[in-house]
Amino acid sequence: MRVLVTGEKGYIGTVLSSMLVEAGHDVAGLDTDLFERCTFGAAIPNIPSNRKDVRDAELSDLQGFDAVVHLAALSNDPLGNINPELTYEINYQSTVRIAKLAKQAGVKRFLFSSSCSTYGSAGDDILNEDAAFNPVTPYGHSKVMSERDVATLADSTFSPTFLRNATAYGVSPRLRFDLVLNNLVAWAFTTGRVLIKSDGSPWRPLVHVEDICRGFLAALEAPRDLVHNRAFNIGRNTENYRIRELANIVKEVVPGCSIEYAAGCGPDKRCYRVDFSLVEKTLPNFRPRWDVRTGAEQLYNTYKNVGLRSEDFESARYNRIDQIRQLRTEGRLDGNLRWQAGSAVEMSVR
């Protein structure tokens, strides 16, 4: 297929683009590349890319593609909380607009990167795709609204699929240190402390970034009737953990570290356990290869090989919020997270 990946220069997109190419697809990207200065280790995949804000996409940007994989979004809860209205503009309104343009352009498949955070605050219940939504952040709300409105576009010519990813972890050329396992291993390696920023009780389902991409690939290549206008939780049933359980695994993986709770920490409202049986039954080509322990080992070995320091992963280079704030301080981004005249071009040639 000829596939357009929006947000192809992000944490998931840089991994997915390579996997799609390896699978034989003709891949192009569309990304404003807010985090160009945040590359970690491996080079960004060299695919044709349209440097454009997803809010400014036009019909011509979608024409000629068989499928769109829509990843572009403000990518985490703290970043989304800075300006909820901007989060809804980028994550929700632009998603629906892109889907409408894709349908108008004759794109047959539309894969939307949703999230298990749509379940939000759910306690100890194990939730399948029919469970009620209960998001607690603008990010989670934006995903719920996007699924709802894109689903209404489905018909015989346009087939959306919603992939509700578990909490991601693992190495990527655009590594994120705000993700729980990536962060815990980074703290353990650089300081000798596994720093928990809640009381450790919340449940989280986790999935390696490469396995998220395997989910997209399996959905993209599945017969249309199996995935048409359906949602799938992406992860494994064995990979639901309490945060304190993750901390114990990290302590076992990283030599000489101890577990420490941040001062004044309390329970996190985000607490959910997820059932992943549907994707396993429906998409047999989805074969996850990672678990949290092997993922923690991958992260530890990677951090060790690059000589990661605490001042690195806590800096603007790898902290999404701090990078945005730095770009705004430098006058490169305006208050709506749009590049100021000439800024993106200047950055691209550095």
Side-chain angles (χ1 to χ4, degrees):
M1 295 185 189
R2 187 156 190 255
V3 183
L4 176 67
V5 180
T6 70
E8 98 283 358
K9 295 188 183 299
Y11 177 67
I12 296 174
T14 49
V15 178
L16 179 59
S17 297
S18 292
M19 291 181 67
L20 288 170
V21 171
E22 290 171 6
H25 297 285
D26 181 6
V27 183
L30 186 150
D31 197 317
T32 191
D33 207 4
L34 291 178
F35 305 108
E36 181 176 39
R37 300 191 295 197
C38 304
T39 302
F40 181 91
I44 301 297
N46 184 21
I47 64 169
S49 182
N50 182 359
R51 184 159 189 164
K52 178 178 283 191
D53 192 307
V54 70
R55 291 170 288 183
D56 300 328
E58 303 170 75
L59 180 63
S60 59
D61 298 321
L62 283 297
Q63 289 174 329
F65 291 98
D66 303 299
V68 170
V69 178
H70 184 54
L71 304 175
L74 293 181
S75 58
N76 60 24
D77 292 324
L79 186 57
N81 288 337
I82 289 180
N83 186 334
E85 292 307 314
L86 194 57
T87 299
Y88 294 132
E89 179 186 344
I90 295 171
N91 292 12
Y92 163 53
Q93 294 172 9
S94 290
T95 292
V96 177
R97 182 171 176 272
I98 284 283
K100 289 179 177 178
L101 287 173
K103 182 174 181 176
Q104 186 179 351
V107 176
K108 295 180 173 59
R109 294 280 187 98
F110 186 87
L111 276 61
F112 174 60
S113 185
S114 190
S115 170
C116 286
S117 68
T118 54
Y119 302 122
S121 180
D124 292 336
D125 293 340
I126 299 178
L127 310 173
N128 64 20
E129 287 81 356
D130 295 324
F133 292 133
N134 191 23
V136 296
T137 64
Y139 175 81
H141 279 285
S142 75
K143 296 297 186 180
V144 170
M145 294 188 297
S146 294
E147 284 197 31
R148 179 197 66 199
D149 288 8
V150 173
T152 66
L153 302 175
D155 60 18
S156 60
T157 64
F158 184 72
S159 182
T161 305
F162 311 99
L163 284 79
R164 297 176 189 160
N165 306 316
T167 300
Y169 65 87
V171 175
S172 160
R174 286 284 167 84
L175 190 64
R176 285 174 52 190
F177 285 102
D178 59 292
L179 296 165
V180 60
L181 189 65
N182 296 0
N183 187 270
L184 291 176
V185 177
W187 274 103
F189 174 70
T190 61
T191 71
R193 298 175 296 144
V194 186
L195 184 64
I196 302 179
K197 298 178 181 179
S198 72
D199 66 358
S201 66
W203 285 101
R204 285 287 193 288
L206 272 77
V207 63
H208 196 283
V209 62
E210 292 179 7
D211 288 336
I212 289 175
C213 297
R214 291 185 178 97
F216 276 101
L217 192 59
L220 182 69
E221 296 179 345
R224 182 184 188 274
D225 62 313
L226 294 182
V227 298
H228 176 67
N229 211 21
R230 298 183 73 181
F232 296 93
N233 297 329
I234 301 300
R236 303 168 68 182
N237 286 336
T238 56
E239 296 298 288
N240 285 286
Y241 297 90
R242 290 191 187 274
I243 299 299
R244 58 174 173 258
E245 294 173 335
L246 298 177
N248 284 325
I249 291 172
V250 173
K251 185 176 182 294
E252 293 168 2
V253 168
V254 181
C257 66
S258 60
I259 296 174
E260 180 178 315
Y261 288 81
C265 61
D268 190 329
K269 290 182 180 180
R270 298 169 298 170
C271 179
Y272 45 92
R273 303 170 71 190
V274 178
D275 177 14
F276 300 97
S277 301
L278 182 62
V279 69
E280 181 180 345
K281 293 175 183 176
T282 309
L283 301 178
N285 288 339
F286 174 56
R287 300 187 183 95
R289 300 181 184 178
W290 293 86
D291 59 30
V292 160
R293 182 172 296 276
T294 55
E297 291 169 351
Q298 180 206 35
L299 290 161
Y300 168 61
N301 289 327
T302 301
Y303 297 164
K304 184 167 57 174
N305 289 339
V306 302
L308 183 70
R309 302 172 302 169
S310 59
E311 55 264 39
D312 295 326
F313 85 86
E314 288 283 280
S315 73
R317 181 173 182 184
Y318 298 123
N319 184 302
R320 294 292 196 257
I321 295 175
D322 288 348
Q323 178 65 200
I324 292 294
R325 286 172 174 156
Q326 182 171 320
L327 289 170
R328 290 183 63 183
T329 298
E330 294 171 355
R332 298 186 181 219
L333 284 182
D334 66 18
N336 291 315
L337 304 191
R338 292 184 180 277
W339 293 113
Q340 298 283 56
S343 294
V345 174
E346 291 168 10
M347 289 175 62
S348 67
V349 299
R350 283 174 177 256

